[in-house]
Amino acid sequence: MNIPFLDGWLKRHGGEQDQDHRAAADLNDPARAAGVAELLSECELLRVRAEEAGLELDDSPASLTALDQLPPRWRDDPEELPWLGNDAGLYLGTVIVRTVQGAVWHIWPGGHPVVRLASGREISVVEAGLEWAVNGAPELSQVYAEAAEA
């Protein structure tokens, strides 16, 4: 999924461009990586909906399990569904990056965020979040468990 505000942020913070596409963001600079991680961790809509359901998202693996248990009321609003799914994916990525050793955010050309594990495997967390929001599967906690095993 393309995240337009991230493209703008990368332009202002030294992301390089080739002729036609934005090059993958260099997040080797700790300050740049921290800025991107902070931006991606906001997940405002998901945090508001979770709080309304009595759940505080504390960026822990247990919070992913708790999200999996929420009744999927967001499915009643087709306009909100993709936004909530996007936030769920970014939240999943945030939990993985903060708790799985060696996991980092990587931004592909066009602003597509993925989580890269120490093994080099990449997880398309936004797609996983969208699938979770629409279908309930894969569960966020299951995607986390697979990432933590790697």
Side-chain angles (χ1 to χ4, degrees):
M1 172 171 264
N2 186 0
I3 302 178
F5 70 83
L6 187 56
D7 283 341
W9 187 90
L10 289 170
K11 285 179 190 174
R12 291 190 309 274
H13 291 86
E16 298 179 14
Q17 291 188 20
D18 60 22
Q19 291 179 350
D20 297 316
H21 303 323
R22 172 155 302 287
D26 175 16
L27 298 179
N28 291 328
D29 173 26
R32 183 175 296 143
V36 168
E38 181 180 337
L39 199 59
L40 296 175
S41 72
E42 289 181 4
C43 315
E44 185 176 352
L45 178 61
L46 180 69
R47 290 181 190 276
V48 167
R49 294 296 176 255
E51 186 176 312
E52 290 172 354
L55 174 62
E56 180 184 349
L57 299 182
D58 61 0
D59 301 345
S60 71
S63 67
L64 295 173
T65 302
L67 276 172
D68 288 337
Q69 302 305 313
L70 289 180
R73 292 191 177 101
W74 53 83
R75 292 186 192 142
D76 296 336
D77 185 347
E79 289 185 24
E80 187 172 286
L81 184 62
W83 294 104
L84 189 109
N86 185 71
D87 275 9
L90 294 176
Y91 183 72
L92 169 64
T94 296
V95 174
I96 293 170
V97 167
R98 290 184 178 172
T99 62
V100 175
Q101 186 173 0
V104 296
W105 284 107
H106 182 76
I107 310 301
W108 279 106
H112 180 80
V114 297
V115 171
R116 183 175 286 163
L117 302 176
S119 66
R121 178 176 159 229
E122 291 184 349
I123 301 171
S124 296
V125 291
V126 171
E127 283 79 10
L130 289 168
E131 285 294 316
W132 172 82
V134 171
N135 302 314
E139 290 185 336
L140 300 175
S141 58
Q142 180 62 38
V143 175
Y144 174 83
E146 291 171 9
E149 286 179 1

